[in-house]
C-alpha cells in the first residue's frame, strides 16, 4: 500500500492536469452531465451506423427482420390492428409538429422567452431532415406484407415515426421538466421512452417497418435530441449562453413556476 501511494499521487496529478477532473465535476459547465451527453451521442451514433451497415450488408440483426415481420402479420387481430393504428399516429409528422408547436407557444407565454420554442423547432425539423436524408441514402424497401395492415410510403430505414417520437417526446419531457424536482423529471423521461417504444412496436407489428428500421430510428432520434439538448444548455435551454447568464435568466423566467430546482452556485453546469 505504501509503494502504491506515490503512483496514485502521480495519477491524480495527471488526472487534474489533463482536465479530466473538470470534465467529471458536476459543478463545472463541462462537467459530468455534458460528459454523459457526449457519451450518449457517441453510442447512439455508433449504434445507428452499425445498424445501417447491417441493413446494407444484410448481416447481424438484419436476419431477424423477416421473422419478426412475419410473426406480426400472423398474429394481427382486428382489435390489435385498430389499436396500433391509433398509437402509431403519435409519431406522425402532423401530430409531433402540432404538439411541439402548442408546447412551444405555451412555454413562450409562460416564460416570456423563445428559447424553449427554438429548442423544440430545432429538434423537430432536424430529426425530420436527418431521417428523410438517410432514407434517400439507404433506399431500403418496406416489408412486403399483403394485404397491408397500415399505409406506408417512401423508403424504410430508418423509421421516421420512431425517429420523431424518440427526439420530440424526449425534448418535450426536458422542456416540461424545467424547474421540477428530480422524481417528476424521471417520470417524464420514462413516459417519453414508453411512448417511443410503443410507437416503434406499432410500426413493426403493423408491417410498415422492419425491426432494424425502428431500432435505427430510435438511435437517430435519441442522438439528435441529445445534440440539441447539449447545444441549448440542457434544462436551462439558452443556446450558447454563459452558465451564469443562463441560470440567472432561467431563475427570473421561472419565478413562481414549479418547485425551483435551482440550488447550488451559479457555476453549476448548464446541462444538468
Amino acid at each position: 500500500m505504501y509503494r502504491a501511494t506515490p503512483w496514485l499521487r502521480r495519477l491524480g496529478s495527471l488526472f487534474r492536469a489533463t482536465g479530466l477532473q473538470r470534465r467529471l465535476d458536476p459543478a463545472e459547465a463541462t462537467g459530468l452531465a455534458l460528459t454523459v451527453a457526449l457519451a450518449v451521442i457517441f453510442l447512439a451514433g455508433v449504434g445507428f451506423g452499425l445498424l445501417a451497415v447491417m441493413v446494407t450488408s444484410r448481416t447481424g440483426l438484419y436476419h431477424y427482420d423477416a421473422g419478426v415481420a412475419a410473426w406480426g402479420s400472423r398474429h394481427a387481430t382486428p382489435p390489435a390492428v385498430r389499436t396500433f393504428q391509433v398509437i402509431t399516429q403519435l409519431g406522425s409528422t402532423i401530430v409531433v409538429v402540432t404538439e411541439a408547436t402548442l408546447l412551444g407557444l405555451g412555454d413562450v407565454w409562460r416564460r416570456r422567452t423563445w428559447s424553449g420554442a427554438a429548442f423544440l423547432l430545432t429538434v423537430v425539423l432536424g430529426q425530420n431532415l436527418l431521417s428523410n436524408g438517410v432514407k434517400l441514402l439507404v433506399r431500403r424497401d418496406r416489408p412486403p406484407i399483403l394485404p397491408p395492415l397500415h399505409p406506408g410510403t417512401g423508403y424504410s430505414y430508418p423509421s421516421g415515426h420512431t425517429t420523431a417520437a424518440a427526439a420530440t417526446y424526449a425534448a418535450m419531457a426536458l422542456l416540461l421538466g424545467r424547474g421540477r424536482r428530480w422524481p417528476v423529471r424521471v417520470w417524464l423521461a420514462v413516459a417519453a421512452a414508453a411512448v417511443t417504444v410503443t410507437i416503434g412496436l406499432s410500426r413493426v407489428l403493423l408491417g410498415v417497418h422492419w425491426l432494424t428500421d425502428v431500432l435505427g430510428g430510435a438511435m437517430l432520434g435519441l442522438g439528435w435530441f441529445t445534440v440539441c439538448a447539449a447545444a441549448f444548455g440542457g434544462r436551462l435551454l439558452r443556446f450558447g449562453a454563459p452558465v451564469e447568464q443562463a441560470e440567472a435568466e432561467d431563475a427570473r423566467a421561472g419565478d413562481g413556476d414549479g418547485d425551483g430546482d435551482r440550488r447550488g452556485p451559479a457555476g453549476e453546469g448548464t446541462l444538468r
Side-chain angles (χ1 to χ4, degrees), residues 94-119:
I94 188 171
V95 171
V96 296
V97 168
T98 301
E99 291 174 337
T101 300
L102 292 176
L103 180 58
L105 292 177
D107 190 74
V108 172
W109 178 80
R110 185 166 62 97
R111 293 179 177 268
R112 301 297 190 267
T113 175
W114 287 89
S115 59
F119 169 66

Side-chain angles (χ1 to χ4, degrees), residues 2 16 24 26 37 47 56-57 86 100 103 114 132 137 139 142-143 161 176 191 200 207 210 245 257 268:
Y2 175 79
R16 292 188 294 271
L24 298 176
T56 55
S57 63
V86 173
L103 180 58
W114 287 89
N132 285 290
L137 290 174
R139 295 177 177 271
R142 292 179 181 266
H161 280 62
L176 291 171
W210 306 100
Q245 176 188 342
D257 292 336
E268 284 188 355

Side-chain angles (χ1 to χ4, degrees), residues 62-269:
Y62 171 88
H63 296 298
Y64 295 95
D65 281 340
V68 173
W71 185 91
S73 178
R74 288 196 307 268
H75 293 82
T77 62
V81 170
R82 287 193 295 270
T83 300
F84 281 122
Q85 284 176 337
V86 173
I87 292 173
T88 202
Q89 294 304 318
L90 294 175
S92 64
T93 299
I94 188 171
V95 171
V96 296
V97 168
T98 301
E99 291 174 337
T101 300
L102 292 176
L103 180 58
L105 292 177
D107 190 74
V108 172
W109 178 80
R110 185 166 62 97
R111 293 179 177 268
R112 301 297 190 267
T113 175
W114 287 89
S115 59
F119 169 66
L120 287 174
L121 178 67
T122 304
V123 170
V124 173
L125 290 183
Q127 63 81 21
N128 189 274
L129 292 173
L130 286 172
S131 176
N132 285 290
V134 174
K135 285 177 183 286
L136 293 175
L137 290 174
V138 177
R139 295 177 177 271
R140 187 186 197 187
D141 292 329
R142 292 179 181 266
I145 302 298
L146 295 175
L149 302 178
H150 189 75
T153 59
Y155 294 112
S156 191
Y157 183 87
S159 166
H161 280 62
T162 310
T163 304
T168 306
Y169 288 107
M172 290 193 292
L174 181 64
L175 198 64
L176 291 171
R178 287 196 294 175
R180 309 294 180 184
R181 293 185 182 276
W182 71 264
V184 176
R185 300 201 299 268
V186 168
W187 280 113
L188 286 170
V190 170
V195 172
T196 300
V197 170
T198 306
I199 292 172
L201 287 174
S202 74
R203 303 307 286 171
V204 174
L205 296 178
L206 288 174
V208 289
H209 278 292
W210 306 100
L211 174 63
T212 46
D213 298 339
V214 167
L215 295 177
M219 294 286 185
L220 182 59
L222 176 62
W224 177 244
F225 155 73
T226 310
V227 168
C228 295
F232 276 82
R235 287 188 294 115
L236 299 182
L237 298 178
R238 297 290 187 277
F239 187 82
V243 180
E244 293 81 0
Q245 176 188 342
E247 290 189 334
E249 292 179 4
D250 187 67
R252 288 195 299 270
D255 282 343
D257 292 336
D259 36 40
D261 183 20
R262 298 181 183 91
R263 59 188 178 278
E268 284 188 355

